[in-house]
């Protein structure tokens, strides 16, 4: 039995999946957080939060690595950890630093740190010769405007250190660029109280369908579990509206995407990590969007398990413990699984969602969940603002996306304006 140190977590599905994987494998974990109430506020009504299944819950300032590392050393002396992990992007470098400090298994600190910074990722891929968009890293508005004129519109403006698509915007002219830059500048601290880097990344807009390659690396070998497709809406934002696993790609395009993801992992030096690499399939070939050194969110991990039987959360636990994960592909009776998200279009208060009552029992539905009446709603600008989702399966082929989208199309949110 292993004892893991879990450093913070997301409050979505991974807050359930990782504790479950730890428990089902016969391990236990200590949960380390700076703000336990952040999680208790998100507990499902009438149930205990899954993070409270921890053997210990310890509060410490996880935003101050200099003070945290010696404190964790003292905890390790008393509690004896066998591995360190997190599902939260903002604490992936911290978890890697802790593992290195304690001499426990884990990915290289520099590799994780670079993967969690979009500008550092872009530079590493460029040095390794991976084709990508033309880009510029800009420290202020003057540099941003000048770089945009050099690169030429349309462009994508990105924060270098946020996730879930937050403040990522397509810009078609200088007025749009100024608005996107100003909005990002007005968000100086992320949702976990960490100061953001005051730089932006400008990239040439890439055209083409988007996929993600799900991989598991351990002991110097990277294994491609599969490829997930993605639908995007919410322009000028880039809001993920759905996913299907496996992506409906011909063999040649799938092999190109997989090879590109493996090259990206190698360029960053990532090993001993479950990764989710997002790629655009352009007319000129695959182009890396970003590399996430953690299991895929937005229900993709569940889609993979439904189709292949491979549990990426369990793989994450095994890798954190320095063990070879079980990546055996099993027959599940499902050929494809897909999720579609209900994206709000107007701000206000949710009254109800017409048509939601019968969705969970509809044929082919694996999962359906919707926001409760009274939920505060804002017009979606990232992947944090959904009103619910439908997950569906197809035992015969790639029809899961159509099934999930058809079910979602029958839903109408009733939102009262503020």
């Amino acid at each position: 039995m292993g004892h893991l140190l879990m450093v913070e977590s997301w409050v979505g599905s991974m807050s359930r999946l990782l504790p479950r994987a730890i428990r089902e494998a016969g391990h236990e974990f200590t949960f380390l957080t700076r703000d336990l109430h952040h999680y208790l506020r998100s507990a499902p009504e009438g149930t205990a939060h899954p993070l409270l299944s921890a053997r210990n819950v310890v509060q410490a300032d996880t935003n101050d690595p200099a003070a945290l590392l010696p404190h964790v050393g003292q905890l390790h002396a008393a509690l004896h950890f066998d591995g360190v992990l997190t599902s939260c992007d903002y604490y992936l470098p911290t978890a890697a630093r802790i593992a290195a400090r304690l001499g426990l298994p884990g990915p290289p600190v520099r590799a994780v740190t670079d993967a969690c910074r979009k500008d550092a990722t872009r530079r590493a891929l460029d040095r390794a010769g991976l084709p990508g968009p033309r880009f510029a890293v800009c420290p202020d508005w003057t540099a941003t405007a000048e770089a945009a004129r050099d690169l030429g519109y349309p462009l994508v403006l990105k924060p270098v250190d946020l996730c879930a698509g937050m403040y990522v915007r397509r810009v078609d002219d200088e007025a749009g660029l100024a608005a996107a830059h100003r909005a990002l500048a007005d968000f100086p601290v992320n949702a976990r109280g960490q100061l953001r880097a005051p730089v932006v990344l400008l990239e040439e807009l890439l055209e083409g369908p988007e996929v993600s390659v799900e991989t598991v690396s351990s002991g110097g070998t990277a294994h491609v579990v599969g490829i997930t497709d993605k639908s995007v809406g919410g322009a000028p934002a880039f809001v993920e509206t759905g996913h299907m696993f496996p992506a409906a790609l011909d063999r040649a395009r799938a092999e190109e995407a997989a090879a590109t993801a493996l090259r990206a992992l190698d360029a960053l030096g990532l090993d001993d990590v479950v990764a989710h690499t997002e790629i655009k399939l352009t007319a000129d070939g695959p182009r890396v969007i970003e590399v996430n050194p953690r299991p895929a969110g937005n229900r993709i991990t569940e889609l993979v398990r439904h189709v292949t039987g491979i549990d990426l959360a369990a793989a994450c636990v095994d890798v954190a413990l320095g063990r070879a994960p079980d990546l055996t592909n099993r027959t599940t009776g499902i050929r494809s699984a897909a999720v579609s998200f209900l994206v709000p279009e107007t701000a206000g208060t949710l009254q109800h969602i017409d048509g939601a009552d019968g969705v969970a029992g509809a044929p082919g539905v694996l999962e359906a969940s919707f926001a409760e009446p009274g939920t505060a709603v804002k017009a979606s600008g990232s992947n944090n603002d959904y009103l619910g989702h439908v997950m569906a399966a197809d035992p015969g082929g790639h029809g899961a996306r159509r099934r999930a989208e058809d079910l979602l199309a029958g839903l109408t949110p009733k939102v009262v304006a503020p």
Side-chain angles (χ1 to χ4, degrees):
M1 181 177 72
H3 182 195
L4 290 127
L5 177 65
M6 187 184 298
V7 185
E8 304 287 2
S9 171
W10 287 124
V11 295
S13 60
M14 200 55 66
S15 71
R16 295 182 291 101
L17 296 178
L18 271 182
R20 185 187 72 186
I22 292 169
R23 182 178 65 251
E24 290 181 351
H27 308 308
E28 58 185 1
F29 70 99
T30 287
F31 185 57
L32 181 66
T33 179
R34 66 189 288 268
D35 181 11
L36 183 59
H37 293 287
H38 176 82
Y39 301 94
L40 298 180
R41 287 192 297 268
S42 302
E45 186 175 349
T47 65
H49 196 287
L51 293 175
L52 295 183
S53 63
R55 169 178 157 184
N56 309 288
V57 175
V58 179
Q59 290 194 254
D61 190 352
T62 51
N63 286 351
D64 183 359
L68 182 66
L69 289 173
H71 179 62
V72 169
Q74 294 173 345
L75 289 175
H76 180 51
L79 300 175
H80 308 293
F81 304 120
D82 301 296
V84 186
L85 79 176
T86 183
S87 67
C88 183
D89 298 58
Y90 300 137
Y91 295 98
L92 289 164
T94 300
R97 289 189 190 103
I98 291 172
R101 174 73 170 253
L102 302 183
L104 297 175
V109 174
R110 175 63 182 271
V112 173
T113 302
D114 285 353
C116 291
R117 283 276 304 228
K118 294 179 176 66
D119 53 342
T121 297
R122 191 56 70 202
R123 287 173 171 139
L125 300 184
D126 192 48
R127 287 194 300 270
L130 269 76
R134 293 176 299 123
F135 71 94
V137 180
C138 309
D140 54 34
W141 165 246
T142 299
T144 302
E146 290 177 356
R149 287 190 287 269
D150 290 340
L151 292 170
Y153 296 96
L155 295 167
V156 180
L157 179 144
K158 298 179 176 181
V160 299
D161 52 3
L162 291 176
C163 52
M166 292 184 69
Y167 293 93
V168 178
R169 296 293 182 268
R170 170 179 173 147
V171 292
D172 293 291
D173 51 37
E174 189 161 309
L177 180 68
H181 190 277
R182 186 165 52 249
L184 180 56
D186 289 341
F187 190 74
V189 178
N190 70 22
R192 297 306 182 98
Q194 299 168 336
L195 283 173
R196 292 191 44 259
V199 297
V200 300
L201 178 64
L202 279 187
E203 292 181 353
E204 170 190 13
L205 178 70
L206 298 176
E207 300 286 358
E210 189 168 338
V211 300
S212 61
V213 181
E214 322 308 337
T215 56
V216 179
S217 306
S218 64
T221 300
H223 178 89
V224 176
V225 174
I227 301 175
T228 312
D229 74 9
K230 178 186 298 187
S231 56
V232 178
F238 294 83
V239 179
E240 296 176 359
T241 59
H243 304 279
M244 184 173 73
F245 184 90
L249 299 176
D250 61 52
R251 176 172 292 182
R253 293 190 94 187
E255 289 177 350
E256 282 187 335
T260 299
L262 294 178
R263 287 185 65 194
L265 297 180
D266 187 58
L268 286 162
L270 281 170
D271 190 23
D272 295 319
V273 69
V274 179
H276 167 74
T277 302
E278 298 179 351
I279 291 175
K280 276 275 192 180
L281 302 178
T282 76
D284 297 319
R287 300 291 184 264
V288 175
I289 301 299
E290 61 185 42
V291 181
N292 300 282
R294 42 80 177 159
N298 240 2
R299 306 329 243 217
I300 293 173
T301 290
E302 292 96 315
L303 300 182
V304 172
R305 182 177 56 83
H306 281 301
V307 175
T308 69
I310 296 172
D311 188 339
L312 292 175
C316 185
V317 171
D318 284 334
V319 168
L321 290 168
R323 303 178 182 185
D326 181 5
L327 301 177
T328 305
N329 201 318
R330 299 173 177 83
T331 301
T332 65
I334 295 175
R335 293 284 300 279
S336 68
V339 62
S340 287
F341 298 102
L342 187 58
V343 179
E345 297 179 357
T346 58
T349 301
L350 180 66
Q351 283 191 320
H352 57 90
I353 300 174
D354 288 347
D357 292 344
V359 171
V365 171
L366 297 170
E367 186 178 302
S369 177
F370 303 102
E372 295 291 331
T375 298
V377 179
K378 61 180 179 179
S380 182
S382 74
N383 303 331
N384 295 323
D385 304 321
Y386 302 129
L387 290 179
H389 69 274
V390 177
M391 187 185 295
D394 179 11
H398 286 97
R401 173 188 287 283
R402 175 62 62 86
R403 180 61 178 148
E405 289 178 345
D406 286 349
L407 287 165
L408 202 73
L411 306 181
T412 305
K414 300 296 184 180
V415 177
V416 177

